[in-house]
Amino acid sequence: MIVATNQLETVDAMTSYAKRWEIETLFACLKGRGFNLEDTHLTHLDRVSKLVAVNALAFCWAYHVGIYKDKNKPLKRKLKANARPQASLFALGLDVLIEGLRLVFFNNDKTVLRQLVSFLTPKPMKIRWG
């Protein structure tokens, strides 16, 4: 990868690009990989900013759950042509959250809800379902 910059002495170009890429990934997920933010057709700035904030938190929640799932119960993920896994950590986490929330809403399982909410803390509980 080649990254061009005119501030070579004051900025680590690769670190800056890595941060930018994380933001691009967030917006890609918000736009089309589960959240479909553009489908809301909101135009009021205050409503859009609140929705983006809530979606960013949900993204972080799903990503954190995906990291946990991959670390503790790794799945064999197929690789695409570019050698990246077919399912991202975000997608893995979102699937777990959806499955867990179904258990919460349809089976009224409060234990699963506590486990899901624990992923918003530094020390999440072990998943005992799924």
Side-chain angles (χ1 to χ4, degrees):
M1 176 183 302
I2 298 172
V3 176
T5 181
N6 62 351
Q7 299 175 352
L8 192 57
E9 295 167 5
T10 60
V11 174
D12 178 10
M14 290 306 288
T15 301
S16 295
Y17 186 79
K19 287 179 184 176
R20 180 187 172 277
W21 189 250
E22 288 177 2
I23 294 167
E24 291 293 331
T25 302
L26 167 67
F27 281 116
C29 290
L30 292 181
K31 286 173 68 175
R33 294 187 186 129
F35 292 106
N36 299 330
L37 188 63
E38 292 177 337
D39 291 349
T40 64
H41 302 291
L42 288 177
T43 56
H44 291 90
L45 187 57
D46 62 325
R47 291 179 183 171
V48 171
S49 66
K50 289 175 186 173
L51 183 61
V52 169
V54 168
N55 279 304
L57 289 172
F59 171 85
C60 293
W61 192 15
Y63 187 70
H64 192 199
V65 171
I67 290 170
Y68 176 87
K69 177 86 172 172
D70 190 55
K71 187 191 309 183
N72 294 301
K73 222 179 195 184
L75 300 173
K76 290 187 178 183
R77 297 186 286 166
K78 292 182 180 178
L79 298 180
K80 296 188 292 187
N82 62 3
R84 291 182 175 259
Q86 196 168 19
S88 67
L89 294 174
F90 163 75
L92 289 175
L94 188 60
D95 288 345
V96 171
L97 283 177
I98 290 169
E99 179 186 345
L101 290 173
R102 282 188 182 135
L103 289 171
V104 170
F105 290 120
F106 296 125
N107 298 348
N108 198 24
D109 193 336
K110 293 190 178 16
T111 304
V112 172
L113 181 62
R114 279 193 294 277
Q115 290 172 351
L116 291 176
V117 171
S118 79
F119 280 96
L120 300 171
T121 68
K123 293 189 177 189
M125 297 169 60
K126 186 175 183 178
I127 295 176
R128 304 197 187 286
W129 47 271

